[in-house]
Each structure stands twice: as structure tokens, then as C-alpha cells.
Amino acid sequence: MTSVVITGKRYLTHPEQADKFGPFDKVYLAEGDSWMDASAAAQGSLPFYLTEEFNRRGKTHLIINISTARQTLQRIAETMSGDYLWWLKQLPYDGVLFSAGGNDFIEAARGPAPGQGLLRDMQGQPPPVDGYDCVRQPALKQLLDDYLNPNFEAVYQALRASSKNAATPMYLNGYDTPVARNAPAIQGLVGPWLWAAYRKNHIDASLWPQLTRGLFKDVKAAVNGWSAGRAGVKLVATTDVLTPASPTSTGSSGDWKNEIHPNASGWRKQARIWADLLQ
């Protein structure tokens, strides 16, 4: 017997590929963004390394992974009639492993025209004393109040409305703080993210460390806020765990594979914290 992670689609068509390693002591459902993404074989993902950690501890657990790279919380909430709701009806789980919020912040910084999203356009402006002052606070409030918080509430209420999972705990990814740098996941196709957003908004590189720390403090506060007053919702405290990357590196550095995703050593550090909490 051993622990296994398998995509939801694969488990539907070939359940024997996972079940042959059972019976399983615990079954988890993984949903969310690229930190959970089942398709990120080259990059790695938390469920893969969490399964590795379970096996190291002699556990026999199953993770059914329905996550998608570049997924935002808004899109998860808008498409809940798909995989998420369907899988909640199929099995009782020992926990839902959930990662969302980080992409919403990045998309709000990177996507809109300069000065129209989460960041101020600093072209021709005197640099602030603190890099975090480059954040447009009204845009941050709108992101939280109009998108993140109500969309998480929808995801949470769907879990609680599930007859099989009304009391199932949900574990929230706390992320960690990356370093803005020109380190894409796929050169010319995927990333970099913060580096592109900061350059697009003409933010001086000397301000990037403070700005990134401030933004990911906001990410953590938002995710932590989702656990407040909601039964069974727990933040997995993984902030300030990973060794930072060099800001001049363009590939794997420290505990980071690229600008915003851990490498193998980083994933293993994260997985140990998750496994401790899940056990």
C-alpha cells in the first residue's frame, strides 16, 4: 500500500490505477491554481510532493487533483458547476486542499493597462519612500470586497451544502513570498509575472522587494481572513519558509523553480508543513 495522487479525469477513466494501491486511510480533494496543478510535471506541484511526504511517513492516502494552472478564485467560483461541485457529490473527503488568491493578485497587477489595475503607473512620478506605496489601495479594496471574499464564500458554501462533505475541513495554501525577477516558467510563453507587472507600471527595481513583501502580506491576510468565522477552514502557515531566489537569476534559485513557483527543495519544505497539519 502507498499514497497516490491522480487527476480527477484519470480517476474517472482508470480508477484501478490508483485503487490498486489502496485501501486508503484518507482521501483528499485538491482544487486551485498552479501550486496544486496536476499537469505541472516539469514544474512540480504541492500534491505530488505531499504524496512523496506521505509515503516517506508510511501513510496510505489518495489525493484526487482537479486543479488547473493559472486558475483564479473568480474563475473557480464561476465554474463551480463543473469539476468542483461534481466531485463534492462523489465521495466524502478527509479534507479539501485549496490554493487560490495568488493568481488573482498577480492578474490584477499584470493584466490591466498601466495605472488601471492594482499598481500605480509610476512613469514620471517621484519614487515613494516605501515600495508598497505603489499599490492602488482602492483597487486592492475592490479586489478583496468585490471578487476574492465573495468568491471564496461561494466556494465554502458549496462545500458546506454538500451532503457528503458538510463537515469536511478545508486547508488553505498560505503561499510564500517570491522575489520579482525575470524567471519565466516557459521562456516567451508563461511568465514572468511580477517582473512584467512592475516593468509595465514603470516601477523602479529598487522598490520591488518592499512592494512584493507588501503584496504577499496582503495575499496572506486575505487567505487568513477566509478562515475567520468559518468552521473547519484552516490556513497552512507556509510564509517565510522558503529560501529566497537571487533577484538577478533567471532560473531555479534558492527554493524557487521560477519567479513564483517553488523547486523540488521548496516543495518538500512546503509538503512537510502540510503533512504535519493534515496528520
Side-chain angles (χ1 to χ4, degrees), residues 139-159:
L140 174 61
K141 186 176 187 302
Q142 182 181 28
L143 176 64
L144 294 171
D145 294 349
D146 294 352
Y147 295 97
L148 293 182
N149 294 338
N151 286 334
F152 180 78
E153 176 66 9
V155 170
Y156 172 74
Q157 290 301 332
L159 178 65

Side-chain angles (χ1 to χ4, degrees), residues 18-162:
D19 290 344
K20 66 182 178 181
F21 297 104
F24 299 104
D25 298 324
K26 293 185 178 182
V27 179
Y28 297 103
L29 182 68
E31 168 68 298
D33 56 26
S34 56
W35 279 56
M36 293 288 180
D37 182 27
S39 66
Q43 175 180 285
S45 65
L46 182 62
F48 176 86
Y49 285 94
L50 184 54
T51 300
E52 179 186 86
E53 181 65 19
F54 285 154
N55 284 325
R56 192 184 69 79
R57 299 183 185 202
K59 304 297 182 181
T60 308
H61 301 335
L62 172 65
I63 302 177
I64 299 172
N65 196 340
I66 61 170
S67 55
T68 306
R70 296 186 293 277
Q71 185 75 292
T72 63
L73 182 52
Q74 183 178 1
R75 293 190 197 109
I76 292 172
E78 288 173 349
T79 59
M80 280 196 306
S81 58
D83 282 358
Y84 179 67
L85 283 182
W86 191 88
W87 279 103
L88 288 181
K89 297 175 183 177
Q90 305 312 305
L91 296 167
Y93 302 103
D94 293 279
V96 172
L97 317 181
F98 193 73
S99 179
N103 279 353
D104 296 82
F105 270 79
I106 290 171
E107 190 171 278
R110 186 172 177 244
Q116 301 302 306
L118 189 57
L119 301 177
R120 295 167 57 196
D121 183 1
M122 301 305 296
Q123 187 170 37
Q125 301 296 315
V129 174
D130 190 327
Y132 183 68
D133 290 336
C134 295
V135 175
R136 297 177 61 235
Q137 292 300 319
L140 174 61
K141 186 176 187 302
Q142 182 181 28
L143 176 64
L144 294 171
D145 294 349
D146 294 352
Y147 295 97
L148 293 182
N149 294 338
N151 286 334
F152 180 78
E153 176 66 9
V155 170
Y156 172 74
Q157 290 301 332
L159 178 65
R160 292 294 169 254
S162 167

Side-chain angles (χ1 to χ4, degrees), residues 205-217:
S206 65
L207 301 173
W208 293 3
Q210 289 177 319
L211 175 54
T212 304
R213 284 195 296 270
L215 282 175
F216 276 81
K217 184 178 179 180

Side-chain angles (χ1 to χ4, degrees), residues 186-240:
I186 303 175
Q187 187 66 46
L189 293 175
V190 183
W193 300 265
L194 299 170
W195 182 87
Y198 296 171
R199 285 167 56 88
K200 181 177 185 177
N201 286 278
H202 308 98
I203 297 171
D204 190 89
S206 65
L207 301 173
W208 293 3
Q210 289 177 319
L211 175 54
T212 304
R213 284 195 296 270
L215 282 175
F216 276 81
K217 184 178 179 180
D218 287 336
V219 172
K220 180 182 177 182
V223 176
N224 192 38
W226 300 338
S227 65
R230 292 186 174 97
V233 179
K234 304 175 183 181
L235 174 70
V236 184
T238 51
T239 304
D240 299 325

